[in-house]
C-alpha cells in the first residue's frame, strides 16, 4: 500500500470505526442505520430491509451522476442483447445457418457405423488377447 492508500484507510477508520456506529439510532446515511439485533438472523433481516436501489448521495454522487451510471448500464445491457442477435441481411446466411451447413458437411464425411454382429464375429475370430479385449470395450463404448 502506498501513502495515499494509508491516508484513505486512516480517514475512513477515524470516521466509521468508532463506538458510535453501534449506538441505537445511529445512521450512516438516512435510511442506512446499523442493526440493533445481536443475532445473525436479525442482521440478515436488517440487510434485506435496506433499499434495493441506493441513493446516489449515499456515495457522494449527484442525481446526474446516478443517471449517467444507469444510462451506461442500460447501454451495456442493450449492447449485449444486440450482439447475440443474428447478423446479416436476407441474402446472406446468418452465423447460425453457416454453422449448421458446416455441421451437415462434416456429418456427410463421417463413415457409417459398423454392423455390431460383424464386429462381434471379427473380434471372436481374433481371440481373447488383452489388446483385443480393450478394443472390444472401446467399440462397445462408442456405440452407447
Amino acid at each position: 500500500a502506498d501513502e495515499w492508500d494509508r491516508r484513505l484507510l486512516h480517514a475512513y477508520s477515524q470516521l466509521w470505526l468508532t463506538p458510535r456506529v453501534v449506538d441505537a439510532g445511529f445512521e450512516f446515511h438516512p435510511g442506512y442505520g446499523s442493526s440493533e439485533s445481536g443475532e445473525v438472523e436479525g442482521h440478515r433481516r436488517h440487510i434485506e430491509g435496506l433499499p434495493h436501489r441506493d441513493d446516489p448521495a449515499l456515495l457522494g454522487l449527484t442525481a446526474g451522476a446516478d443517471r449517467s451510471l444507469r444510462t451506461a448500464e442500460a447501454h451495456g445491457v442493450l449492447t449485449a442483447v444486440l450482439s447475440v442477435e443474428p447478423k446479416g441481411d436476407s441474402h446472406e446466411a446468418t452465423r447460425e445457418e453457416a454453422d449448421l451447413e458446416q455441421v451437415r458437411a462434416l456429418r456427410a464425411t463421417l463413415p457409417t457405423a459398423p454392423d455390431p454382429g460383424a464386429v462381434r464375429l471379427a473380434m471372436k475370430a481374433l481371440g481373447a488377447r488383452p489388446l483385443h479385449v480393450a478394443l472390444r470395450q472401446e467399440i462397445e463404448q462408442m456405440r452407447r
Side-chain angles (χ1 to χ4, degrees):
D2 65 7
E3 182 59 28
W4 286 107
D5 290 339
R6 270 191 291 283
R7 290 176 66 183
L8 182 63
L9 182 60
H10 182 70
Y12 281 137
S13 299
Q14 283 185 323
L15 185 61
W16 299 116
L17 300 179
T18 64
R20 69 186 176 101
V21 299
V22 293
D23 290 344
F26 174 80
E27 287 188 322
F28 295 96
H29 183 76
Y32 291 88
S34 59
S35 173
E36 295 178 12
S37 173
E39 302 294 321
V40 172
E41 279 306 311
H43 290 301
R44 285 190 178 137
R45 280 192 302 277
H46 175 76
I47 291 168
E48 289 169 358
L50 291 173
H52 292 287
R53 183 173 174 216
D54 292 328
D55 180 7
L58 174 69
L59 303 171
L61 299 174
T62 64
D66 186 50
R67 274 192 302 278
S68 295
L69 172 67
R70 305 244 181 252
T71 301
E73 288 175 340
H75 184 312
V77 168
L78 292 174
T79 301
V81 168
L82 291 174
S83 72
V84 297
E85 196 173 79
K87 304 287 188 252
D89 59 14
S90 60
H91 298 356
E92 64 183 60
T94 64
R95 288 182 292 191
E96 291 83 3
E97 292 169 340
D99 290 345
L100 281 174
E101 186 58 38
Q102 189 173 14
V103 166
R104 288 186 190 107
L106 289 172
R107 201 177 262 172
T109 64
L110 291 175
T112 58
D115 176 33
V119 170
R120 193 173 297 115
L121 289 174
M123 293 301 295
K124 201 176 269 189
L126 290 174
R129 295 187 178 150
L131 184 60
H132 298 154
V133 171
L135 177 62
R136 186 184 76 237
Q137 289 171 346
E138 287 297 320
I139 290 171
E140 287 174 4
Q141 185 68 24
M142 286 179 4
R143 284 193 2 228
R144 289 184 195 154

